[in-house]
Amino acid sequence: MNEKYNSASYFEEMLLSETGFREYDARWVIEPTDDISPVGLNYVGVRFLGLHLGRFLTDELDAGRQIVVGHDFRSYSENVKNALVVGLLQAGMDVTDIGLTTTPGAYYAQFSSDVPCVAMVTASHNENGWTGIKMGHRKASTFGPVEMLKFKEYTLGSQADGIACSSGSYTFKTGARRQYIDDLVDEWTVRFHGLPRLKVAVEAGNGTAGLYAPELLGRLGFDVVAGNNTPDWTFPHFNPNPESLPFLRSVETLVTTNGADLGLCFDGDGDRLGVIDDRGKLVFADRVGIVVAKFLEETTGATGPFVVDVKSTSLYESELTNDIVWAKTGHSYVKAKVAESGAVAGFERSGHFFFSEPIGRGYDDGCVAALALLWTLCSAKAAGENWRLSDKLAELPRSFSSPNRQPYVSDETKYVVVEELAAHFDKLEYLGGKRVISINRLNGVRIELEDRSWLLVRASSNSPNLVIIAETFDEDGTLLKRIDDEVRAAIEAADVEVGPFASLAEF
């Protein structure tokens, strides 16, 4: 460990970086890593966070004193959670600790234990060395930008670390994982009654979801082809991120070598789902959302809108009958918009799926998303229809989509960089040779072209990166390459500090 952290001051002086307070959760590096992200949090800072989170929930949000806490499978996550709990207890909170869990498992515990608040210690898909907290003050809801900004100002504006108050209570709830899995098995056994089952490759990348998804699908009768599902906090094979190409390529191999009907992969804390079709091809989550949404429209008669994030395909508006509501990217944004609009479901291209009652409880859950997709395909197979995911996708208009590329930009400058690039794109009449129809500034800058093609450039909300995605509807995908060239030219012309990112030829 760097000498800066191998010192008495590390245990005595608070380290709590302002940049860790992000748009819809909090994330810091807590252990030195080989990358360029500095350590921004220590355990003194975590206790300080817990104290102020408890007081913020009770004094500012009037959310009551009951809170569920849990942690993901990383070498330091339980220590982070324990430090957070100390602060919460100091604030007078009544803590229900469910221990090792996925993030959806923590959300579920809010309902099963009838507790309004949640604090889940997880860095999600971030590399080792990172930690974070996903927080909420009511069921099926997590902090959005308004709450995060207020919490940041509330916490950083205080110097108090020893506020006198009545102590809280602590309960460790055993069997939370078992209750979560049992409940889903009971509920979905009814939906799958009489339906054929599929052969499913399951890959958790040695993350926490490996304790959940394989057992759940096996108990529901699916033939599970297991990947790296034993939790291992060193992540020896790849980082469990459904937008990471090495992770996805491994699932492609798992599907093709085992003749699986479908490949499913889960991120480190289990709230996101990645999908590989029966041919071993990556399917972006926004396309998966269309397939499931069409099934819900046609089979269940659902009439409410669907919520989609700005990173998603423009096909939603042409392929679905129900209304489409666009939302900013981010699990809290989409979750809130689903609740606000009374939507049937919400879909985020990064792999967050949100299903309202009766399918889900409104929060993002990779296991529930997997079950919804399998229900769609199994129902089609039972009806004698085209049921393979590749066939379902072939029914949609063809387009070419870039992967989610995330070149490094510092947290301090990433929003400025987006504004610089937006100023450049605002002046364009054509992009890649196609006429610009509109520019959407809901979240970053999304340029819509005359043939439904589009480009999005935005700042990542949870890491020091840009997000660059494009989709085109030309015959051969050359428009995607032309757009990519113009993005690189815009970055160079704006003279901004942006790290390298892969060319489309590498995918």
Side-chain angles (χ1 to χ4, degrees):
M1 178 180 282
N2 189 301
E3 289 184 4
K4 177 181 178 182
Y5 310 109
N6 187 6
S7 65
S9 64
Y10 180 80
F11 296 95
E12 297 171 345
E13 299 174 8
M14 184 178 69
L15 180 59
L16 182 62
S17 171
E18 179 179 352
T19 57
F21 294 87
R22 302 176 186 273
E23 286 187 46
Y24 41 81
D25 53 32
R27 295 188 197 183
W28 294 267
V29 173
I30 194 166
E31 290 195 346
T33 61
D34 294 331
D35 67 15
I36 56 179
S37 299
V39 172
L41 181 70
N42 63 0
Y43 291 103
V44 181
V46 178
R47 292 197 301 270
F48 191 80
L49 271 173
L51 168 65
H52 288 83
L53 176 59
R55 293 182 62 82
F56 182 73
L57 289 169
T58 55
D59 296 349
E60 300 295 315
L61 298 181
D62 195 26
R65 296 191 176 277
Q66 294 179 299
I67 188 167
V68 167
V69 300
H71 66 89
D72 65 3
F73 195 92
R74 295 181 189 244
S75 61
Y76 45 83
S77 289
E78 184 171 26
N79 290 338
V80 174
K81 181 206 65 180
N82 289 341
L84 184 75
V85 166
V86 169
L88 289 168
L89 293 173
Q90 184 185 3
M93 298 295 289
D94 296 323
V95 176
T96 298
D97 184 352
I98 63 171
L100 177 63
T101 182
T102 58
T103 294
Y107 297 155
Y108 167 82
Q110 291 178 268
F111 286 85
S112 63
S113 300
D114 193 22
V115 172
C117 303
V118 67
M120 173 65 187
V121 172
T122 178
S124 185
H125 62 277
N126 286 39
E127 302 283 347
N128 257 331
W130 286 82
T131 191
I133 309 171
K134 293 180 178 178
M135 299 161 277
H137 62 295
R138 55 179 179 267
K139 297 170 186 173
S141 175
T142 44
F143 283 8
V146 173
E147 292 88 356
M148 284 304 302
L149 178 59
K150 288 181 178 179
F151 179 50
K152 171 184 173 181
E153 293 173 344
Y154 182 86
T155 302
L156 297 181
S158 171
Q159 299 299 317
D161 193 25
I163 301 173
C165 62
S166 59
S167 61
S169 66
Y170 176 86
T171 301
F172 188 87
K173 181 179 180 179
T174 60
R177 179 166 73 247
R178 174 64 46 218
Q179 185 178 7
Y180 167 90
I181 294 174
D182 287 348
D183 188 49
L184 283 180
V185 169
D186 290 345
E187 179 182 347
W188 284 87
T189 295
V190 177
R191 292 197 177 97
F192 283 113
H193 178 70
L195 298 181
R197 303 297 197 267
L198 306 181
K199 187 175 186 179
V200 185
V202 177
E203 175 63 80
N206 301 111
T208 322
L211 297 170
Y212 289 75
E215 179 184 343
L216 172 65
L217 296 181
R219 287 178 58 185
L220 285 169
F222 291 92
D223 182 3
V224 174
V225 178
N228 300 288
N229 294 326
T230 301
D232 183 338
W233 59 47
T234 67
F235 301 138
H237 301 97
F238 27 67
N239 200 43
N241 178 3
E243 290 185 294
S244 168
L245 288 176
F247 187 39
L248 293 165
R249 297 296 183 227
S250 73
V251 189
E252 292 176 356
T253 301
L254 197 61
V255 169
T256 55
T257 57
N258 291 279
D261 297 313
L262 190 69
L264 303 174
C265 58
F266 300 83
D267 72 336
D269 66 327
D271 60 4
R272 286 197 295 148
L273 176 71
V275 178
I276 303 298
D277 73 10
D278 49 285
R279 297 179 180 176
K281 300 298 182 183
L282 163 64
V283 185
F284 291 123
D286 51 353
R287 293 254 170 169
V288 175
I290 291 178
V291 171
V292 175
K294 287 171 75 74
F295 169 74
L296 295 178
E297 281 188 342
E298 297 165 3
T299 306
T300 69
T303 58
F306 293 101
V307 174
V308 296
D309 81 316
V310 296
K311 294 196 300 184
S312 295
T313 176
S314 56
L315 286 174
Y316 275 100
E317 293 184 321
S318 60
E319 291 299 306
L320 297 178
T321 301
N322 295 17
D323 291 339
I324 302 301
V325 177
W326 291 90
K328 290 184 176 182
T329 290
H331 63 89
S332 287
Y333 288 120
V334 181
K335 197 157 26 192
K337 189 64 71 172
V338 167
E340 173 189 317
S341 63
V344 178
F347 307 105
E348 189 179 14
R349 192 180 191 265
S350 64
H352 290 276
F353 294 79
F354 310 79
F355 293 96
S356 299
E357 295 281 3
I359 299 172
R361 294 180 175 86
Y363 54 78
D364 38 338
D365 186 330
C367 284
V368 171
L371 293 174
L373 175 58
L374 289 168
W375 186 33
T376 301
L377 301 180
C378 292
S379 296
K381 187 175 184 179
E385 303 169 356
N386 286 336
W387 61 272
R388 296 188 181 276
L389 183 56
S390 60
D391 294 330
K392 294 288 186 184
L393 295 169
E395 297 171 0
L396 302 176
R398 185 185 185 193
S399 71
F400 298 88
S401 295
S402 72
N404 179 9
R405 292 172 294 167
Q406 295 189 322
Y408 175 83
V409 179
S410 73
D411 280 321
E412 291 80 5
T413 63
K414 61 188 180 184
Y415 293 102
V416 175
V417 169
V418 169
E419 290 305 314
E420 291 281 345
L421 295 175
H424 170 84
F425 292 125
D426 279 342
K427 302 172 185 176
L428 297 182
E429 294 184 12
Y430 292 86
L431 179 64
K434 295 290 184 178
R435 187 161 56 91
V436 175
I437 296 298
S438 64
I439 295 180
N440 184 334
R441 294 303 312 277
L442 174 64
N443 191 195
V445 53
R446 176 166 166 149
I447 299 97
E448 304 275 354
L449 306 181
E450 57 186 314
D451 65 344
R452 295 182 299 173
S453 300
W454 54 273
L455 164 71
L456 175 73
V457 180
R458 60 179 290 272
S460 172
S461 299
N462 50 38
S463 61
N465 303 97
L466 290 186
V467 172
I468 302 173
I469 300 177
E471 179 185 32
T472 65
F473 291 86
D474 53 333
E475 292 295 325
D476 55 6
T478 56
L479 176 56
L480 201 63
K481 175 65 167 59
R482 294 199 301 272
I483 290 175
D484 189 55
D485 291 341
E486 292 195 30
V487 170
R488 294 176 187 276
I491 290 172
E492 184 176 348
D495 193 25
V496 291
E497 294 290 331
V498 176
F501 56 99
S503 69
L504 294 174
E506 297 179 44
F507 300 102

